[in-house]
Amino acid sequence: GVALICIPASICALGFTASGIAAGSVAAKMMSVAAIANGGGVAAGSTVAVLQSIGAAGFSLGAKIGLTSMLGPLGAAAGAKLA
């Protein structure tokens, strides 16, 4: 559950926001590098495009289910070690 909040918050902190990429941010630098490498545009499906999508809309239902099913057992194992 924590990952579903922390990951999008971290992506937003990098500058991938609901209103677009924040000027002067890490995201802006990543977008610049990606655009230069691709001849002026950011390729669909690239890391920058995926992070911007998550920053704008959050995770899809499928991604939420996948992250929960993958990270849930890891959290349980970590909790068991601490107990």
Side-chain angles (χ1 to χ4, degrees):
V2 173
L4 297 179
I5 296 170
C6 292
I7 293 172
S10 298
I11 290 170
C12 186
L14 291 173
F16 295 100
T17 68
S19 60
I21 292 180
S25 66
V26 171
K29 290 176 181 65
M30 289 175 67
M31 184 176 183
S32 175
V33 169
I36 291 169
N38 289 305
V42 175
S46 68
T47 301
V48 173
V50 170
L51 289 173
Q52 180 53 39
S53 176
I54 294 169
F59 285 119
S60 68
L61 178 60
K64 288 178 183 177
I65 291 169
L67 281 171
T68 302
S69 64
M70 181 178 72
L71 297 176
L74 291 175
K81 291 250 184 204
L82 295 174

